[in-house]
Amino acid sequence: MVVIKRGDSWLGVSITATDVNELHQQLSMLRSLKLRHHLLIEWRLDYWRQLDIESLHIANQLIRQQLPHYPLLLTLRTVVEGGRCQLNATEYTEWLLMISHNLDWDLLDVMSAQLLDPSTFSEQLDCAEQQQLIYSYHHLKPSNFAENCAWLNQLAQYARPQDLIKLAVQTESLQNSLDLLNATLWLNYHSKQPLITMGMGQSGQITRQLGPIFGSVLSFGSLVSGGSAPGQLPLLQLDQLVN
């Protein structure tokens, strides 16, 4: 059975540890949480200092052991879309395939614009039916309604029915946020897949609060100061604000 479905309202929080010591600290914080909403754990692999499969496998086991009841999303974000890894399309595709085959996960973030061939990527994976891919695109500049719809529609073409599509855009005004929310509502009526959308930056915080009303199934809050993206609200605060 898939983890996230249309009509759901989940909160997400990112593990941004750079080493085992930081990982233990953040896992301790996560174990003490008491929230109203279902919680998804995202592990941002691009923050990890020693990016090799052996080190990642050990950390992966630790996360699964200490947080056995939470679904786990693995994310390797490149600099091009706001992350920390300097990888070209070949390297990113190879790393994603290696991660998918060697680590334990429920959901896997896939930056379609960074892949060698996004239209055939899911066919290269040996993943179980209940595992979900999140086809994502992060635009680091403001955008309008038409652009948002076009990107969401393109992501929907790559994703399987059980997968999710995610769009995060930089916002500098309330109009940017409204354009994103309206695009979410539009595609929610025209897509089979669950949607995740969010505005990055302070003016985009409203999209994190109101997203579920417009069709977004997941909103990220921050566990530590600064979070993993600009404009994230503290997780406990977001838990009280989201319907």
Side-chain angles (χ1 to χ4, degrees):
M1 185 175 182
V2 298
V3 175
I4 299 180
K5 307 179 297 297
R6 288 172 60 91
D8 284 352
S9 180
W10 286 72
L11 293 187
V13 66
S14 299
I15 292 174
T16 55
T18 62
D19 54 34
V20 173
N21 288 334
E22 286 188 4
L23 180 58
H24 277 290
Q25 294 172 7
Q26 294 187 21
L27 289 175
S28 177
M29 296 169 67
L30 288 169
R31 289 198 307 272
S32 67
L33 288 175
K34 294 182 180 179
L35 303 173
R36 297 188 304 123
H37 290 80
H38 295 300
L39 181 65
L40 176 142
I41 306 297
E42 178 188 43
W43 182 21
R44 284 289 300 269
L45 304 177
D46 51 300
Y47 277 75
W48 198 250
R49 186 175 300 150
Q50 188 177 351
L51 195 61
D52 65 79
I53 284 298
E54 183 178 354
S55 173
L56 293 175
H57 180 69
I58 294 171
N60 186 209
Q61 287 184 313
L62 184 61
I63 295 171
R64 284 303 212 186
Q65 290 168 0
Q66 296 201 21
L67 300 174
H69 304 300
Y70 295 106
L72 180 61
L73 163 64
L74 301 185
T75 297
L76 182 66
R77 185 83 63 232
T78 66
V79 172
V80 175
E81 295 197 15
R84 295 192 169 194
C85 282
Q86 291 276 9
L87 300 173
N88 59 35
T90 300
E91 293 168 334
Y92 176 69
T93 302
E94 291 176 349
W95 260 107
L96 218 55
L97 290 171
M98 194 183 312
I99 288 166
S100 70
H101 293 148
N102 290 278
L103 299 184
D104 182 14
W105 53 278
D106 301 297
L107 302 101
L108 179 68
D109 184 274
V110 177
M111 297 185 301
S112 60
Q114 308 305 314
L115 291 172
L116 285 175
D117 186 359
S119 63
T120 63
F121 180 75
S122 64
E123 300 171 7
Q124 302 175 54
L125 293 178
D126 182 22
C127 55
E129 186 67 25
Q130 67 270 23
Q131 290 177 309
Q132 293 175 282
L133 306 179
I134 300 180
Y135 281 86
S136 66
Y137 178 58
H138 297 70
H139 189 69
L140 306 184
K141 296 180 180 180
S143 56
N144 58 38
F145 172 77
E147 290 172 322
N148 295 335
C149 288
W151 290 325
L152 285 167
N153 192 54
Q154 182 63 67
L155 292 169
Q157 304 306 310
Y158 298 139
R160 304 169 302 174
Q162 69 267 35
D163 293 332
L164 295 91
I165 55 180
K166 175 190 175 187
L167 175 64
V169 299
Q170 184 68 37
T171 59
E172 295 181 355
S173 67
L174 179 59
Q175 185 62 56
N176 294 151
S177 295
L178 290 174
D179 283 345
L180 180 60
L181 289 171
N182 285 328
T184 306
L185 183 64
W186 176 82
L187 199 70
N188 193 43
Y189 284 108
H190 294 85
S191 166
K192 298 178 181 179
Q193 298 94 349
L195 311 178
I196 304 169
T197 62
M198 61 199 67
M200 296 180 288
Q202 186 173 358
S203 62
Q205 289 180 343
I206 190 174
T207 67
R208 299 178 183 272
Q209 301 173 45
L210 300 181
I213 298 175
F214 289 78
S216 181
V217 298
L218 174 65
S219 185
F220 282 92
S222 61
L223 179 67
V224 296
S225 178
S228 59
Q232 281 187 356
L233 293 162
L235 182 63
L236 293 177
Q237 180 183 353
L238 188 63
D239 185 48
Q240 297 302 313
L241 292 172
V242 172
N243 291 329

